[in-house]
Amino acid sequence: MQERGGVEEITVLVDKPDHGGDVRGGPGDHVELREVVADECRLEDEVLGRIAGDRQLRKADDVGARGARLVHPADDQPRISGQVTDGWVDLGESNPHNSILTAPSPPLGLVVPVAYFDRLRALSRERHTLLCVGLDPDPDRIEGGAAGALRHCRDVVRQTEEHVCCFKPNSAFWEQYGPDGWAALLELRDEAPDTPFLLDAKRGDMDNTMRAYARAVFGTLAMDAATVSPYLGSDSLREFTRYEDRGVYVLCRTSNPGARDVQHLESGGKPVFEHVAVLAEGLNGAGNIGLVVGATAPAEVAAIRRITALPFLLPGVGAQGGDVESAVRAAWNGDPASCLVAASRSVIYASKPAREAEALKAQINLATGVRA
Amino acid sequence: MQERGGVEEITVLVDKPDHGGDVRGGPGDHVELREVVADECRLEDEVLGRIAGDRQLRKADDVGARGARLVHPADDQPRISGQVTDGWVDLGESNPHNSILTAPSPPLGLVVPVAYFDRLRALSRERHTLLCVGLDPDPDRIEGGAAGALRHCRDVVRQTEEHVCCFKPNSAFWEQYGPDGWAALLELRDEAPDTPFLLDAKRGDMDNTMRAYARAVFGTLAMDAATVSPYLGSDSLREFTRYEDRGVYVLCRTSNPGARDVQHLESGGKPVFEHVAVLAEGLNGAGNIGLVVGATAPAEVAAIRRITALPFLLPGVGAQGGDVESAVRAAWNGDPASCLVAASRSVIYASKPAREAEALKAQINLATGVRA
């Protein structure tokens, strides 16, 4: 194994993606970090021992490479608001909301993580895109089980990465393949370490259980962001938002026809989905919350944008027939994170995924009116 | 491999738990079944080839043992209503709702599956219990990663099986361990083939994705029942209810404090959770739907029982502090499936899980007033 500095070993100890091993810990681990940093020699021994003992950790070097992302920020680090309304074109690296990127070194020489929404904003500017490609392998369309799914999606990632600012695997499609599907998803995540991965999982359970889901998604699978369901309310959602450097998109108004059944019930003069938007706003103290708002319903996108500046994830483009222009115009507010447009089937089953992604990127940019 | 009759090979082909391999197919597979049955020799070759080629199928004999359960009923098989209100004490094997157990042989010599709710009713009568034990391993309390979790939960299953009519693993706790967790869950399911397994997964996504979740839960993981979230509406739920021999519990009023945030919003004079109960009733054509109603809210249990005879799953007993007597009295309507009471932490971390389960079983039975 390659020699590394003490800091990287520390990050491994705190929250490495530990597939099948000890999965204790959570967003409060920075406390333990500060305690153990005093004794680097002992620490190094422990870390090397753990890596050697983990038969599922296929690429030990990847842990170091992603270590910085996996440390949770201490509470005294500056918080980043997710509700900026800056114009996209006019902002450069001097954007004050990006200050964490160039912040002075924190105490104890810790590696400071960049929060998900800030990585998303930076990458969106850098690559000039608002596109997110969904990685949802369908065994009816891809031969070869989990290995075939991995091969196909790896190829899509390689071909489309320059045109996206995020990848969005949906958990369901990988779960179909059983344990091999989870292993494949872990490998896929390693394919594009520079691009955030958003796990579309729509989890929602009671607090104790939601803590376990958060560990699974942010710890074991090392995802940068996730979707969650609001049906169980604030105590449930809070178990995800506690991970302040990760993004949490709350289902608000989904892209399917059945969305009307529950989400459109009127209560106190407004639909349930607007109550959910207000609920999400109230949990956004760390600036790490967004909303899922289907691109198939531009009128609802506009209604929700009128009451909140939270970042939107807009699925439903492509195979689901969403109206890209209308949805983007309704969602976009100048914040590069305000309008993340997700397409899956129309890209990953295209004969040329790169060309499809590039065309969609251009179509979305045109709709924002700030990029030709 | 042991010699088997043609029927068992057929059931393997249709819907065996195929971990990591080809996961095509779904509830419509009985059509294919009828077509291929004409050529048993070719079929047998294919099946043996598939089993030999599946490196993850650790116990080939288990597939045969559970094969009957895995065939989906043809539409012309008798449907079983989940809304009976028979008195529990007075019913024996002559219960007409159990007729599928002794039905005459169907055409083509197929093995007829017993639907989840009928298995639950039969087992509840046989073992005199309404208890369901949750299998939710916590890495903070159980040493040894996924292997430790499996060992612990296997022991709980062995100790408590005679006192339960169902086991309920919650997906979150197994997902924490990554691919090893999913493999462990598959092994755990093999520990008690005579007792239904209900995967508490609270899945809810758009139709295409929900189909993938249903395959994962009912196909790959071979679960008998599952919990689902209603936030995405009827088209989402229908992808699970299409599996007519499996049970589908829709979240209605959950056991956590945050349940009030969305579920209690009033719309048209009644709370959202009552709208959900009505929605679920409307999807119950196959008699395979139940509702999740937290034991921590007996008043809401009673309110929902007033508007529906659907089977209830009542979590929240034990560690969550639910009032067993009040909740059971409110839920019970004489149908042995009407009141499935789930406890997890209070049983699986007890020094003597068997004794804890037995005591809880007796407490629940007493509350129904039909068993001393």
Side-chain angles (χ1 to χ4, degrees), chain B residues 316-336:
Chain B
V317 160
Q320 289 183 59
D323 174 351
V324 180
E325 280 77 11
S326 303
V328 168
R329 273 196 300 269
W332 173 256
N333 69 0
D335 171 12

Side-chain angles (χ1 to χ4, degrees), chain A residues 179-180, chain B residues 1 4 12-13 15-21 47-64 66 70 186-187 190 219-220 222:
Chain A
D180 284 356
Chain B
M1 190 180 148
R4 290 209 191 89
V12 172
L13 178 71
D15 191 0
K16 74 180 178 67
D18 191 352
H19 318 147
V47 172
L48 293 172
R50 282 187 59 175
I51 289 179
D54 186 348
R55 65 175 175 77
Q56 291 236 10
L57 199 59
R58 293 140 296 121
K59 298 181 187 174
D61 284 351
D62 288 341
V63 176
R66 291 218 306 271
L70 297 172
L186 281 161
E187 289 208 49
D190 290 341
T220 310

Side-chain angles (χ1 to χ4, degrees), chain B residues 246-271:
Chain B
R246 313 301 168 100
V248 181
Y249 289 97
V250 179
L251 295 186
C252 183
R253 203 290 183 184
T254 56
S255 60
N256 62 317
R260 307 197 77 82
D261 293 336
V262 175
Q263 298 162 30
H264 280 245
L265 289 172
E266 286 273 327
S267 179
K270 60 186 180 190

Side-chain angles (χ1 to χ4, degrees), chain A residues 215-288:
Chain A
R215 281 175 172 178
V217 173
F218 295 143
T220 311
L221 290 174
M223 293 287 161
D224 305 282
T227 57
V228 292
S229 172
Y231 194 69
L232 274 86
S234 52
D235 54 357
S236 170
L237 302 176
R238 212 171 279 124
E239 296 300 331
F240 268 62
T241 60
R242 288 168 65 198
Y243 288 75
E244 299 188 356
D245 62 336
R246 313 300 168 100
V248 181
Y249 289 97
V250 179
L251 295 186
C252 183
R253 203 289 184 185
T254 56
S255 60
N256 62 317
R260 307 196 77 82
D261 293 336
V262 174
Q263 298 162 31
H264 280 245
L265 289 172
E266 287 273 327
S267 179
K270 60 186 180 189
V272 163
F273 67 79
E274 290 195 15
H275 287 274
V276 167
V278 172
L279 180 74
E281 278 273 7
L283 296 168
N284 194 37
N288 63 340

